[in-house]
Coordinates of all heavy atoms in Angstrom, one line a residue:
M1 N -215.3 -108.7 149.2 CA -214.1 -108.3 148.5 C -213.7 -109.4 147.6 O -213.7 -110.6 148.0 CB -213.0 -108.1 149.5 CG -211.7 -107.8 148.8 SD -210.1 -107.7 149.7 CE -210.5 -107.8 151.4
V2 N -213.3 -109.1 146.4 CA -212.8 -110.0 145.4 C -211.3 -109.8 145.3 O -210.8 -108.7 145.0 CB -213.5 -109.8 144.0 CG1 -212.9 -110.8 143.0 CG2 -215.0 -110.1 144.2
L3 N -210.5 -110.9 145.5 CA -209.1 -110.9 145.4 C -208.6 -111.4 144.0 O -209.1 -112.4 143.6 CB -208.5 -111.7 146.5 CG -206.9 -111.7 146.5 CD1 -206.4 -110.4 146.9 CD2 -206.5 -112.8 147.5
D4 N -207.8 -110.6 143.3 CA -207.2 -111.0 142.1 C -206.0 -111.9 142.3 O -205.0 -111.4 142.9 CB -206.8 -109.8 141.3 CG -206.4 -110.1 139.9 OD1 -206.8 -111.1 139.3 OD2 -205.5 -109.3 139.4
V5 N -206.1 -113.2 141.9 CA -204.9 -114.1 142.1 C -204.4 -114.5 140.8 O -205.2 -114.7 139.8 CB -205.3 -115.3 143.0 CG1 -205.6 -114.9 144.4 CG2 -206.5 -116.1 142.4
V6 N -203.1 -114.7 140.7 CA -202.4 -115.0 139.5 C -201.6 -116.2 139.7 O -200.5 -116.1 140.3 CB -201.6 -113.8 139.0 CG1 -200.9 -114.2 137.7 CG2 -202.4 -112.6 138.8
Y7 N -202.0 -117.4 139.2 CA -201.2 -118.6 139.4 C -200.6 -119.1 138.1 O -199.8 -119.9 138.1 CB -202.2 -119.7 139.9 CG -202.8 -119.5 141.2 CD1 -204.1 -119.4 141.4 CD2 -202.0 -119.3 142.3 CE1 -204.7 -119.1 142.6 CE2 -202.5 -119.1 143.6 CZ -203.9 -119.0 143.7 OH -204.4 -118.8 144.9
N8 N -201.0 -118.5 137.0 CA -200.5 -119.0 135.7 C -199.2 -118.3 135.2 O -198.7 -118.8 134.2 CB -201.6 -118.9 134.6 CG -202.0 -117.5 134.3 OD1 -202.1 -116.7 135.2 ND2 -202.1 -117.2 133.0
H9 N -198.8 -117.3 135.8 CA -197.5 -116.7 135.4 C -196.9 -115.8 136.5 O -197.6 -115.5 137.5 CB -197.7 -115.8 134.1 CG -198.7 -114.7 134.3 ND1 -198.4 -113.6 135.0 CD2 -200.0 -114.6 133.9 CE1 -199.5 -112.8 135.0 NE2 -200.4 -113.4 134.4
L10 N -195.7 -115.5 136.3 CA -194.9 -114.7 137.3 C -194.2 -113.6 136.5 O -194.0 -113.7 135.3 CB -193.9 -115.6 138.1 CG -194.5 -116.7 138.8 CD1 -193.5 -117.7 139.3 CD2 -195.3 -116.2 140.0
G11 N -193.7 -112.7 137.2 CA -193.0 -111.6 136.6 C -191.6 -112.1 136.1 O -191.1 -113.1 136.5
P12 N -191.0 -111.3 135.2 CA -189.8 -111.7 134.6 C -188.6 -111.6 135.5 O -187.5 -112.2 135.2 CB -189.6 -110.8 133.4 CG -190.4 -109.6 133.8 CD -191.5 -110.1 134.6
S13 N -188.7 -110.9 136.6 CA -187.5 -110.8 137.5 C -187.9 -111.1 138.9 O -189.1 -111.0 139.3 CB -186.9 -109.4 137.4 OG -187.8 -108.5 137.8
G14 N -187.0 -111.4 139.8 CA -187.3 -111.7 141.2 C -188.0 -113.0 141.4 O -188.6 -113.2 142.4
N15 N -187.9 -113.9 140.5 CA -188.5 -115.2 140.6 C -187.6 -116.2 141.2 O -186.7 -116.7 140.5 CB -189.0 -115.6 139.2 CG -189.8 -116.9 139.3 OD1 -189.9 -117.5 140.3 ND2 -190.4 -117.3 138.2
Y16 N -187.8 -116.6 142.4 CA -186.9 -117.6 143.1 C -187.6 -119.0 143.2 O -187.0 -119.8 143.9 CB -186.5 -117.0 144.4 CG -185.8 -115.7 144.3 CD1 -186.5 -114.5 144.6 CD2 -184.5 -115.6 143.8 CE1 -185.9 -113.3 144.4 CE2 -183.9 -114.4 143.7 CZ -184.6 -113.2 144.0 OH -183.9 -112.0 143.8
L17 N -188.7 -119.2 142.6 CA -189.4 -120.5 142.8 C -188.5 -121.7 142.4 O -188.6 -122.7 143.1 CB -190.7 -120.5 142.0 CG -191.8 -119.7 142.6 CD1 -193.1 -119.8 141.8 CD2 -192.2 -120.2 144.0
P18 N -187.7 -121.6 141.4 CA -186.9 -122.8 141.0 C -186.0 -123.3 142.1 O -185.6 -124.5 142.1 CB -186.1 -122.4 139.8 CG -186.9 -121.3 139.2 CD -187.5 -120.6 140.4
E19 N -185.7 -122.5 143.1 CA -184.8 -122.9 144.2 C -185.6 -123.8 145.2 O -184.9 -124.4 146.0 CB -184.3 -121.6 144.9 CG -183.4 -120.7 144.1 CD -182.9 -119.5 144.8 OE1 -182.9 -119.5 146.1 OE2 -182.6 -118.5 144.2
F20 N -186.9 -123.8 145.1 CA -187.7 -124.6 146.1 C -188.4 -125.8 145.5 O -188.9 -126.6 146.3 CB -188.7 -123.6 146.7 CG -188.0 -122.5 147.4 CD1 -188.0 -121.2 146.8 CD2 -187.4 -122.6 148.6 CE1 -187.4 -120.1 147.4 CE2 -186.8 -121.5 149.2 CZ -186.8 -120.3 148.6
G21 N -188.5 -125.9 144.2 CA -189.2 -127.1 143.6 C -189.4 -126.9 142.1 O -189.0 -126.0 141.5
P22 N -190.2 -127.9 141.6 CA -190.4 -127.9 140.1 C -191.5 -126.9 139.7 O -192.5 -127.3 139.0 CB -190.8 -129.3 139.9 CG -191.6 -129.7 141.1 CD -190.8 -129.0 142.2
Y23 N -191.4 -125.7 140.1 CA -192.6 -124.8 139.9 C -192.6 -124.2 138.5 O -193.6 -123.6 138.1 CB -192.5 -123.7 140.9 CG -192.7 -124.2 142.3 CD1 -191.6 -124.3 143.2 CD2 -193.9 -124.7 142.8 CE1 -191.7 -124.8 144.5 CE2 -194.1 -125.2 144.0 CZ -193.0 -125.3 144.9 OH -193.1 -125.8 146.1
L24 N -191.5 -124.2 137.7 CA -191.5 -123.7 136.4 C -191.3 -124.7 135.4 O -190.7 -125.8 135.7 CB -190.5 -122.6 136.3 CG -190.6 -121.4 137.3 CD1 -189.5 -120.4 137.1 CD2 -192.0 -120.7 137.1
K25 N -191.7 -124.5 134.1 CA -191.4 -125.4 133.0 C -190.9 -124.6 131.9 O -190.9 -123.3 131.8 CB -192.6 -126.2 132.6 CG -193.7 -125.3 132.0 CD -194.9 -126.2 131.7 CE -195.9 -125.4 130.9 NZ -197.0 -126.2 130.4
S26 N -190.3 -125.3 130.9 CA -189.8 -124.6 129.7 C -190.8 -123.8 129.0 O -192.0 -124.2 128.9 CB -189.2 -125.7 128.7 OG -188.2 -126.4 129.3
G27 N -190.4 -122.7 128.5 CA -191.3 -121.8 127.8 C -191.4 -120.4 128.4 O -191.0 -120.3 129.6
R28 N -191.9 -119.5 127.7 CA -192.1 -118.2 128.2 C -193.4 -117.6 127.7 O -193.9 -118.0 126.7 CB -190.9 -117.3 127.8 CG -189.6 -117.7 128.4 CD -188.5 -116.7 128.2 NE -188.7 -115.4 128.8 CZ -188.6 -115.1 130.1 NH1 -188.3 -116.0 131.0 NH2 -188.8 -113.8 130.5
S29 N -193.9 -116.7 128.5 CA -195.1 -116.0 128.1 C -194.8 -114.5 128.2 O -193.6 -114.1 128.5 CB -196.3 -116.3 129.1 OG -196.0 -115.7 130.3
T30 N -195.8 -113.7 127.9 CA -195.6 -112.2 128.0 C -195.1 -111.8 129.4 O -194.3 -110.9 129.6 CB -196.9 -111.5 127.8 OG1 -197.4 -111.9 126.5 CG2 -196.7 -110.0 127.8
W31 N -195.4 -112.6 130.4 CA -195.1 -112.3 131.8 C -193.9 -113.0 132.4 O -193.6 -112.8 133.5 CB -196.3 -112.6 132.7 CG -197.5 -111.9 132.2 CD1 -197.9 -110.6 132.3 CD2 -198.5 -112.5 131.4 NE1 -199.1 -110.4 131.7 CE2 -199.5 -111.5 131.1 CE3 -198.7 -113.8 130.8 CZ2 -200.6 -111.8 130.3 CZ3 -199.9 -114.0 130.1 CH2 -200.8 -113.0 129.8
G32 N -193.2 -113.8 131.6 CA -192.0 -114.5 132.1 C -192.2 -116.0 131.9 O -192.9 -116.5 131.1
E33 N -191.4 -116.7 132.7 CA -191.4 -118.2 132.6 C -192.8 -118.8 133.0 O -193.6 -118.2 133.7 CB -190.4 -118.8 133.5 CG -189.0 -118.4 133.1 CD -187.9 -119.1 134.0 OE1 -187.6 -120.3 133.7 OE2 -187.4 -118.4 134.9
L34 N -193.1 -120.0 132.5 CA -194.4 -120.6 132.7 C -194.4 -121.4 134.0 O -193.4 -122.1 134.3 CB -194.6 -121.6 131.5 CG -194.7 -120.9 130.1 CD1 -194.9 -122.0 129.1 CD2 -195.8 -119.9 130.0
V35 N -195.5 -121.3 134.7 CA -195.7 -122.0 135.9 C -196.1 -123.5 135.5 O -196.9 -123.7 134.7 CB -196.7 -121.4 136.8 CG1 -197.0 -122.2 138.0 CG2 -196.3 -120.0 137.2
N36 N -195.5 -124.5 136.2 CA -195.7 -125.9 135.9 C -196.9 -126.4 136.5 O -196.8 -127.2 137.5 CB -194.4 -126.7 136.3 CG -194.5 -128.1 135.8 OD1 -195.4 -128.5 135.1 ND2 -193.6 -128.9 136.4
L37 N -198.1 -126.0 136.0 CA -199.3 -126.5 136.7 C -199.6 -128.0 136.4 O -200.5 -128.5 137.1 CB -200.5 -125.6 136.1 CG -200.5 -124.2 136.6 CD1 -201.5 -123.4 135.8 CD2 -200.7 -124.1 138.1
E38 N -198.8 -128.6 135.6 CA -199.0 -130.1 135.4 C -198.4 -130.9 136.6 O -198.8 -132.0 136.7 CB -198.3 -130.5 134.1 CG -199.0 -130.0 132.8 CD -198.6 -128.6 132.4 OE1 -197.8 -128.0 133.1 OE2 -199.2 -128.2 131.4
A39 N -197.5 -130.3 137.3 CA -196.9 -131.0 138.5 C -197.8 -131.1 139.7 O -198.3 -130.0 140.1 CB -195.6 -130.3 138.8
P40 N -198.0 -132.2 140.2 CA -198.9 -132.4 141.4 C -198.6 -131.4 142.5 O -199.5 -130.8 143.1 CB -198.8 -133.8 141.8 CG -198.6 -134.5 140.5 CD -197.6 -133.6 139.7
P41 N -197.3 -131.2 142.9 CA -197.0 -130.3 144.0 C -197.4 -128.9 143.7 O -197.8 -128.2 144.6 CB -195.5 -130.4 144.2 CG -195.1 -131.7 143.5 CD -196.1 -131.9 142.5
V42 N -197.3 -128.5 142.5 CA -197.6 -127.1 142.1 C -199.2 -127.0 142.2 O -199.7 -126.0 142.7 CB -197.1 -126.8 140.7 CG1 -197.5 -125.4 140.3 CG2 -195.6 -126.9 140.7
R43 N -199.9 -127.9 141.6 CA -201.3 -127.9 141.7 C -201.8 -127.9 143.2 O -202.7 -127.1 143.6 CB -202.0 -129.0 141.0 CG -201.8 -128.9 139.5 CD -202.7 -129.9 138.7 NE -202.6 -131.2 139.1 CZ -201.8 -132.1 138.5 NH1 -201.1 -131.8 137.5 NH2 -201.8 -133.4 139.0
R44 N -201.1 -128.6 144.0 CA -201.5 -128.7 145.5 C -201.3 -127.3 146.1 O -202.1 -126.8 146.9 CB -200.6 -129.7 146.2 CG -200.8 -129.8 147.7 CD -202.0 -130.7 148.0 NE -203.2 -129.8 148.2 CZ -204.5 -130.2 148.1 NH1 -204.7 -131.4 147.7 NH2 -205.5 -129.4 148.3
F45 N -200.2 -126.6 145.7 CA -199.9 -125.3 146.2 C -201.0 -124.3 145.8 O -201.5 -123.5 146.6 CB -198.6 -124.7 145.7 CG -198.4 -123.3 145.9 CD1 -198.1 -122.8 147.2 CD2 -198.6 -122.4 144.9 CE1 -198.0 -121.4 147.5 CE2 -198.5 -121.0 145.2 CZ -198.2 -120.5 146.4
V46 N -201.4 -124.4 144.5 CA -202.5 -123.5 144.1 C -203.8 -123.7 144.8 O -204.4 -122.7 145.3 CB -202.7 -123.7 142.5 CG1 -204.0 -122.9 142.1 CG2 -201.5 -123.2 141.8
I47 N -204.2 -124.9 145.0 CA -205.4 -125.3 145.8 C -205.3 -124.8 147.2 O -206.2 -124.1 147.7 CB -205.7 -126.8 145.7 CG1 -206.0 -127.2 144.3 CG2 -206.8 -127.1 146.7 CD1 -206.0 -128.7 144.1
D48 N -204.1 -125.1 147.9 CA -204.0 -124.7 149.3 C -203.9 -123.2 149.4 O -204.5 -122.6 150.4 CB -202.7 -125.3 149.8 CG -202.8 -126.8 150.1 OD1 -203.9 -127.4 150.0 OD2 -201.7 -127.4 150.2
N49 N -203.3 -122.5 148.5 CA -203.2 -121.1 148.5 C -204.6 -120.4 148.4 O -205.0 -119.5 149.1 CB -202.3 -120.5 147.5 CG -202.1 -119.1 147.5 OD1 -202.7 -118.3 146.7 ND2 -201.3 -118.6 148.5
A50 N -205.4 -120.9 147.4 CA -206.7 -120.4 147.2 C -207.6 -120.6 148.5 O -208.3 -119.7 148.9 CB -207.4 -121.1 146.0
L51 N -207.5 -121.8 149.1 CA -208.3 -122.1 150.3 C -207.8 -121.2 151.4 O -208.6 -120.7 152.2 CB -208.1 -123.5 150.7 CG -208.8 -124.5 149.7 CD1 -208.4 -126.0 150.1 CD2 -210.3 -124.3 149.7
M52 N -206.5 -120.9 151.5 CA -206.0 -120.0 152.6 C -206.6 -118.6 152.5 O -207.0 -118.1 153.5 CB -204.5 -119.9 152.4 CG -203.8 -119.1 153.5 SD -203.5 -117.4 153.1 CE -202.8 -117.3 151.5
W53 N -206.7 -118.1 151.3 CA -207.2 -116.7 151.1 C -208.7 -116.7 151.6 O -209.1 -115.8 152.2 CB -207.2 -116.2 149.7 CG -205.8 -115.8 149.3 CD1 -205.0 -116.4 148.4 CD2 -205.1 -114.7 149.8 NE1 -203.8 -115.8 148.3 CE2 -203.8 -114.7 149.1 CE3 -205.3 -113.7 150.7 CZ2 -202.8 -113.7 149.4 CZ3 -204.4 -112.7 151.0 CH2 -203.1 -112.8 150.3
L54 N -209.4 -117.7 151.2 CA -210.9 -117.8 151.6 C -211.0 -118.0 153.1 O -211.9 -117.4 153.7 CB -211.6 -118.9 150.8 CG -211.6 -118.7 149.3 CD1 -212.0 -119.9 148.5 CD2 -212.5 -117.5 148.9
R55 N -210.3 -118.9 153.6 CA -210.4 -119.3 155.0 C -209.8 -118.3 156.0 O -210.5 -117.8 156.9 CB -209.7 -120.7 155.2 CG -209.8 -121.2 156.7 CD -208.9 -122.4 156.9 NE -207.5 -122.0 156.6 CZ -206.7 -122.6 155.7 NH1 -207.1 -123.6 154.9 NH2 -205.5 -122.2 155.5
D56 N -208.6 -117.9 155.8 CA -207.9 -117.1 156.7 C -208.1 -115.6 156.6 O -208.1 -114.8 157.6 CB -206.4 -117.3 156.6 CG -206.0 -118.7 156.9 OD1 -206.8 -119.5 157.5 OD2 -204.8 -119.1 156.7
Y57 N -208.4 -115.1 155.4 CA -208.6 -113.7 155.1 C -210.1 -113.3 154.8 O -210.4 -112.2 154.6 CB -207.7 -113.2 154.1 CG -206.2 -113.3 154.5 CD1 -205.4 -114.4 154.2 CD2 -205.7 -112.3 155.3 CE1 -204.1 -114.5 154.7 CE2 -204.4 -112.3 155.8 CZ -203.6 -113.4 155.4 OH -202.3 -113.5 155.9
H58 N -210.9 -114.4 154.7 CA -212.3 -114.2 154.5 C -212.7 -113.4 153.3 O -213.7 -112.6 153.3 CB -213.0 -113.6 155.8 CG -212.6 -114.3 157.0 ND1 -213.2 -115.5 157.3 CD2 -211.8 -114.0 158.0 CE1 -212.7 -116.0 158.5 NE2 -211.8 -115.1 158.9
V59 N -211.9 -113.5 152.2 CA -212.3 -112.8 151.0 C -213.6 -113.5 150.5 O -213.8 -114.7 150.8 CB -211.2 -112.8 149.9 CG1 -209.9 -112.1 150.4 CG2 -210.8 -114.2 149.5
D60 N -214.4 -112.8 149.7 CA -215.6 -113.3 149.3 C -215.5 -114.1 148.0 O -216.3 -115.0 147.7 CB -216.6 -112.1 149.0 CG -216.9 -111.3 150.3 OD1 -217.3 -112.0 151.3 OD2 -216.7 -110.1 150.3
A61 N -214.5 -113.8 147.2 CA -214.3 -114.5 145.9 C -212.9 -114.3 145.4 O -212.2 -113.4 145.8 CB -215.3 -114.0 144.9
L62 N -212.4 -115.2 144.6 CA -211.1 -115.1 143.9 C -211.4 -114.9 142.4 O -212.2 -115.6 141.8 CB -210.3 -116.3 144.1 CG -210.0 -116.7 145.5 CD1 -209.3 -118.1 145.6 CD2 -209.2 -115.7 146.2
R63 N -210.7 -113.9 141.8 CA -210.7 -113.7 140.4 C -209.4 -114.3 139.9 O -208.4 -113.8 140.1 CB -210.8 -112.2 140.0 CG -211.1 -112.1 138.4 CD -210.7 -110.8 137.9 NE -209.2 -110.7 137.7 CZ -208.5 -111.2 136.7 NH1 -209.1 -111.9 135.8 NH2 -207.2 -111.0 136.7
V64 N -209.5 -115.5 139.3 CA -208.3 -116.2 138.9 C -207.9 -115.9 137.5 O -208.6 -116.1 136.5 CB -208.6 -117.7 139.0 CG1 -207.4 -118.5 138.6 CG2 -209.0 -118.1 140.4
D65 N -206.7 -115.3 137.4 CA -206.2 -114.9 136.1 C -205.8 -116.2 135.3 O -205.2 -117.1 135.9 CB -205.0 -114.0 136.3 CG -204.5 -113.4 135.0 OD1 -205.3 -112.9 134.2 OD2 -203.3 -113.3 134.8
G66 N -206.1 -116.2 134.1 CA -205.7 -117.4 133.3 C -206.6 -118.6 133.6 O -206.2 -119.7 133.4
R67 N -207.8 -118.4 134.0 CA -208.7 -119.4 134.4 C -208.9 -120.5 133.3 O -209.0 -121.7 133.5 CB -210.1 -118.9 134.8 CG -211.0 -119.9 135.4 CD -212.4 -119.4 135.4 NE -212.9 -119.0 134.2 CZ -213.3 -119.8 133.2 NH1 -213.2 -121.1 133.3 NH2 -213.8 -119.3 132.1
A68 N -209.0 -120.1 132.0 CA -209.2 -121.0 130.9 C -208.0 -122.0 130.8 O -208.3 -123.2 130.7 CB -209.3 -120.3 129.6
R69 N -206.8 -121.6 131.0 CA -205.7 -122.5 131.0 C -205.8 -123.4 132.2 O -205.5 -124.6 132.0 CB -204.4 -121.6 131.1 CG -203.2 -122.4 131.5 CD -202.2 -122.6 130.3 NE -201.0 -123.2 130.7 CZ -200.7 -124.5 130.7 NH1 -201.6 -125.3 130.2 NH2 -199.5 -124.9 131.1
I70 N -206.1 -123.0 133.3 CA -206.2 -123.8 134.5 C -207.3 -124.8 134.3 O -207.2 -126.0 134.7 CB -206.4 -123.0 135.8 CG1 -205.1 -122.2 136.0 CG2 -206.7 -123.8 137.0 CD1 -205.2 -121.1 137.1
D71 N -208.5 -124.4 133.8 CA -209.6 -125.3 133.5 C -209.2 -126.5 132.6 O -209.5 -127.6 132.8 CB -210.8 -124.6 132.8 CG -211.6 -123.8 133.8 OD1 -211.3 -123.9 135.0 OD2 -212.4 -123.0 133.4
R72 N -208.4 -126.2 131.6 CA -207.9 -127.2 130.7 C -207.1 -128.2 131.4 O -207.2 -129.4 131.2 CB -207.1 -126.6 129.5 CG -208.0 -126.0 128.4 CD -207.2 -125.7 127.1 NE -206.1 -124.8 127.3 CZ -206.1 -123.5 127.4 NH1 -207.3 -122.9 127.2 NH2 -205.1 -122.8 127.5
L73 N -206.3 -127.8 132.3 CA -205.4 -128.7 133.1 C -206.3 -129.5 134.0 O -206.0 -130.7 134.2 CB -204.4 -127.9 133.9 CG -203.3 -127.3 133.1 CD1 -202.5 -126.3 134.0 CD2 -202.4 -128.3 132.5
V74 N -207.3 -129.0 134.6 CA -208.2 -129.7 135.5 C -208.8 -130.9 134.7 O -208.9 -132.0 135.2 CB -209.3 -128.8 136.1 CG1 -210.4 -129.6 136.8 CG2 -208.7 -127.8 137.1
H75 N -209.3 -130.6 133.5 CA -210.0 -131.6 132.8 C -209.0 -132.7 132.1 O -209.5 -133.8 131.8 CB -210.8 -131.0 131.7 CG -212.0 -130.2 132.3 ND1 -213.0 -130.7 132.9 CD2 -212.2 -128.8 132.3 CE1 -213.8 -129.8 133.4 NE2 -213.3 -128.7 133.0
T76 N -207.7 -132.3 132.0 CA -206.8 -133.3 131.4 C -205.9 -134.0 132.5 O -205.2 -134.9 132.1 CB -205.9 -132.6 130.4 OG1 -205.2 -131.6 131.0 CG2 -206.8 -132.1 129.2
A77 N -205.9 -133.5 133.7 CA -205.0 -134.1 134.7 C -205.5 -135.5 135.1 O -206.7 -135.8 135.2 CB -205.1 -133.2 136.0
T78 N -204.5 -136.4 135.2 CA -204.8 -137.7 135.6 C -204.7 -138.0 137.0 O -205.2 -139.0 137.6 CB -203.9 -138.7 134.8 OG1 -202.5 -138.4 135.1 CG2 -204.1 -138.6 133.3
C79 N -204.0 -137.1 137.8 CA -203.8 -137.4 139.2 C -203.7 -136.0 139.9 O -202.7 -135.4 140.0 CB -202.5 -138.1 139.4 SG -202.1 -138.4 141.1
W80 N -204.8 -135.6 140.5 CA -204.8 -134.4 141.4 C -204.3 -134.8 142.7 O -204.6 -135.9 143.2 CB -206.2 -133.9 141.5 CG -206.5 -132.9 140.3 CD1 -207.0 -133.3 139.1 CD2 -206.2 -131.5 140.3 NE1 -207.1 -132.2 138.3 CE2 -206.6 -131.1 139.0 CE3 -205.7 -130.7 141.2 CZ2 -206.4 -129.8 138.6 CZ3 -205.5 -129.3 140.8 CH2 -205.9 -128.9 139.5
P81 N -203.6 -134.0 143.4 CA -203.0 -134.4 144.7 C -204.2 -134.4 145.7 O -205.2 -133.7 145.6 CB -202.1 -133.2 145.0 CG -202.5 -132.1 144.2 CD -203.2 -132.7 142.9
S82 N -204.0 -135.2 146.7 CA -205.0 -135.4 147.8 C -204.6 -134.6 149.0 O -203.5 -134.2 149.2 CB -205.2 -136.8 148.1 OG -204.0 -137.4 148.5

């Protein structure tokens, strides 16, 4: 089974992430506010979440929406969380 995961954007309503941390940044996309993938805690969440789907639910693969944007961040990040 391939699971479609979306880390690069959220819907325009019902978004409560700002109440819990620096998960959003200035700007908007077609889908709403931008997720702050430059922040180490947010990147850590994305990594942990992807691993959780693979480990706990035994999905065979993840289809990551916005992969090109995430790839650019990986190559330009100076400090990935450990």
Side-chain angles (χ1 to χ4, degrees):
M1 174 190 353
V2 176
L3 179 68
D4 186 29
V5 294
V6 180
Y7 297 117
N8 65 318
H9 60 77
L10 301 166
S13 64
N15 183 356
Y16 302 103
L17 285 178
E19 295 179 24
F20 302 102
Y23 298 106
L24 301 177
K25 67 179 187 175
S26 297
R28 294 194 57 80
S29 71
T30 304
W31 305 280
E33 294 183 80
L34 300 174
V35 175
N36 186 11
L37 292 171
E38 288 86 359
V42 178
R43 291 194 306 264
R44 178 82 263 155
F45 168 78
V46 169
I47 292 167
D48 289 346
N49 181 260
L51 292 173
M52 182 266 316
W53 285 113
L54 296 167
R55 180 190 62 239
D56 297 348
Y57 293 95
H58 308 287
V59 299
D60 298 308
L62 301 174
R63 191 204 74 82
V64 180
D65 191 41
R67 188 197 53 78
R69 164 107 170 96
I70 293 170
D71 283 351
R72 282 193 301 278
L73 290 170
V74 168
H75 294 294
T76 59
T78 58
C79 179
W80 275 89
S82 56

